[in-house]
């Protein structure tokens, strides 16, 4: 059986469209499946629409969070609740083309354990958004040594891959990077980002920046290495200014350097504060991990009568 996980946040208009479209495609292909809609604490009628879809469609299963825990938590909730021999993760807005699921499934039948969705283009995203996305994946790729250019959350995972991800105890997770990190036999499927048929994107510039910072911090210690780099930079600057000052002193041409001293103090103080901020951020992440709180809390389930 194939499990399809669809994280949903304020997607009341897309729930019936997604349920109907994906079910129709998979039924035509003769693929036994279940659709897991994970309501990430939506403020609209997303959960009501999931309940309606579950009542009308026997393939639909709904999970409702007690509050908004974030997309990463929603994806991992789906992975932990999925019962299929393989699992596809895709966006509820259908910008990940559902017809590609069949292609991914056939590749899985050929023996591939991870089928990665690779974007051919990013649709109608703005130039600034494209630049930010390219920069983020460039940073995370260099920090981790994994080539994540044009990658996405749209992918198929074999059951053994899903079990490996579910066995990881960490609280702060980055699904896209972890699915690279675990390895296994993999291949790719290329797709074009589709336009929404209803609703609007829930990702603002601020939320995307926060998402990028959280994921870099949760998967890489590279920002900590920046502190070392800044220290080396300050050492070089200090040596240069020391040599210049000593040479001027020996030559008898030394002059008052009050402005230089002030600038150096401001520069040094800024680097120290930035360094403390980075260290503090990682200490906060360690604190979150040590508390051991669950990634999410499921308050309601629909579509599985044996669990109702």
């Amino acid at each position: 059986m194939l499990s399809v996980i669809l994280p949903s946040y304020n997607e009341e208009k897309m729930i019936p469209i997604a349920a109907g479209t994906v079910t129709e495609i998979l039924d035509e292909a003769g693929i036994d499946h279940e659709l897991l809609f994970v309501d990430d604490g939506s403020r609209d009628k997303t959960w009501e629409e999931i309940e309606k879809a579950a009542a009308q469609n026997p393939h639909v299963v709904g999970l409702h969070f007690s509050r908004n825990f974030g997309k990463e938590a929603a994806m991992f909730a789906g992975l932990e609740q999925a019962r299929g021999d393989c699992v596809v993760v895709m966006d509820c807005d259908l910008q990940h083309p559902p017809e590609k699921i069949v292609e991914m499934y056939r590749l899985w039948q050929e023996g591939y354990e991870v089928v990665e969705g690779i974007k051919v283009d990013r649709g109608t995203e703005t130039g600034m958004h494209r630049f930010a996305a390219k920069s983020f994946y460039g940073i995370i790729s260099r920090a981790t040594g994994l080539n994540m250019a044009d990658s996405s959350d749209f992918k198929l995972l074999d059951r053994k891959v899903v079990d490996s991800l579910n066995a990881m105890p960490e609280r702060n997770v980055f699904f896209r990077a972890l699915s690279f990190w675990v390895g296994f036999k993999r291949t790719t499927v290329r797709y074009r980002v589709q336009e929404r048929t209803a609703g609007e994107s829930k990702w603002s510039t601020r939320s995307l920046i926060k998402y990028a910072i959280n994921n870099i911090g949760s998967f890489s210690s590279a920002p900590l290495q920046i502190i070392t780099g800044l220290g080396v930079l300050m050492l070089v600057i200090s040596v240069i200014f020391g040599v210049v000052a000593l040479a001027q002193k020996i030559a008898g041409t030394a002059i008052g350097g009050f402005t230089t001293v002030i600038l150096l103090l401001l520069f040094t103080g800024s680097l120290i504060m930035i360094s403390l901020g980075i260290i503090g951020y990682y200490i906060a992440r360690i604190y979150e991990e040590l508390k051991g709180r669950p990634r999410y809390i499921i308050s309601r389930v629909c579509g599985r009568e044996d669990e109702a």
Side-chain angles (χ1 to χ4, degrees):
M1 183 172 70
L2 167 67
S3 297
V4 181
I5 300 170
L6 300 104
S8 310
Y9 179 66
N10 292 343
E11 293 286 4
E12 60 180 353
K13 295 181 180 179
M14 286 302 304
I15 298 300
I17 297 173
T21 301
V22 176
T23 295
E24 181 181 359
I25 290 173
L26 295 181
D27 280 344
E28 288 181 358
I31 300 174
D32 183 26
H33 64 280
E34 65 174 356
L35 307 182
L36 280 83
F37 287 92
V38 184
D39 179 14
D40 186 20
S42 299
R43 296 189 300 269
D44 61 3
K45 296 181 179 180
T46 295
W47 179 245
E48 287 81 353
E49 291 297 330
I50 292 174
E51 289 182 314
K52 290 179 183 178
Q56 299 169 0
N57 186 339
H59 298 290
V60 173
V61 177
L63 307 175
H64 179 64
F65 282 176
S66 59
R67 65 170 178 84
N68 178 247
F69 285 91
K71 185 179 180 182
E72 300 295 319
M75 288 187 289
F76 272 88
L79 292 176
E80 292 178 5
Q81 296 293 323
R83 297 177 173 178
D85 301 305
C86 59
V87 175
V88 167
V89 179
M90 65 179 296
D91 288 348
C92 181
D93 56 18
L94 297 188
Q95 290 191 295
H96 296 153
E99 60 273 10
K100 287 292 181 178
I101 298 176
V102 178
E103 184 179 347
M104 289 178 164
Y105 186 80
R106 301 306 180 204
L107 288 169
W108 172 74
Q109 289 180 317
E110 294 176 12
Y112 291 101
E113 296 162 321
V114 177
V115 183
E116 181 80 24
I118 300 296
K119 298 176 183 177
V120 176
D121 63 57
R122 305 187 67 90
T124 58
E125 291 179 351
T126 64
M128 181 61 69
H129 190 103
R130 292 170 187 266
F131 172 77
K134 184 177 181 180
S135 299
F136 166 68
Y137 289 114
I139 292 172
I140 196 69
S141 295
R142 286 192 294 270
T144 62
L146 304 172
N147 182 13
M148 297 179 60
D150 299 319
S151 67
S152 69
D153 294 324
F154 185 35
K155 59 190 65 183
L156 178 146
L157 307 174
D158 182 79
R159 168 50 58 182
K160 65 180 70 173
V161 182
V162 174
D163 291 341
S164 297
L165 292 173
N166 288 338
M168 295 180 183
E170 59 218 68
R171 304 294 102 190
N172 297 296
V173 291
F174 183 17
F175 169 72
R176 202 173 303 184
L178 283 176
S179 63
F180 268 88
W181 181 84
V182 293
F184 293 96
K185 185 179 180 181
R186 58 200 312 121
T187 188
T188 60
V189 167
R190 303 182 71 82
Y191 72 95
R192 296 182 181 277
V193 176
Q194 306 297 303
E195 294 299 316
R196 275 179 166 268
T197 57
E200 58 184 17
S201 174
K202 309 306 182 295
W203 290 97
S204 64
T205 301
R206 180 180 178 182
S207 62
L208 286 172
I209 292 174
K210 183 179 179 181
Y211 179 75
I213 292 174
N214 286 338
N215 288 331
I216 291 174
S218 66
F219 197 76
S220 171
S221 61
L224 288 173
Q225 310 309 316
I226 294 175
I227 298 175
T228 303
L230 293 176
V232 172
L233 175 63
M234 281 304 302
L235 175 62
V236 172
I237 292 175
S238 299
V239 170
I240 293 174
F241 274 95
V243 171
V244 171
L246 184 60
Q248 290 178 339
K249 185 69 174 178
I250 295 173
T253 59
I255 58 175
F258 182 75
T259 302
T260 302
V261 172
I262 293 297
L263 291 176
L264 283 175
L265 286 174
L266 290 174
F267 182 60
T268 304
S270 298
L271 292 186
I272 291 173
M273 296 304 294
I274 291 173
S275 301
L276 289 175
I278 294 174
I279 294 171
Y281 176 77
Y282 275 91
I283 292 175
R285 301 307 288 256
I286 295 171
Y287 174 64
E288 292 293 328
E289 290 289 337
L290 287 176
K291 286 190 292 188
R293 292 176 181 173
R295 296 178 185 140
Y296 57 86
I297 299 173
I298 297 176
S299 61
R300 279 173 279 178
V301 177
C302 68
R304 284 179 177 165
E305 295 301 325
D306 58 328
E307 295 179 5

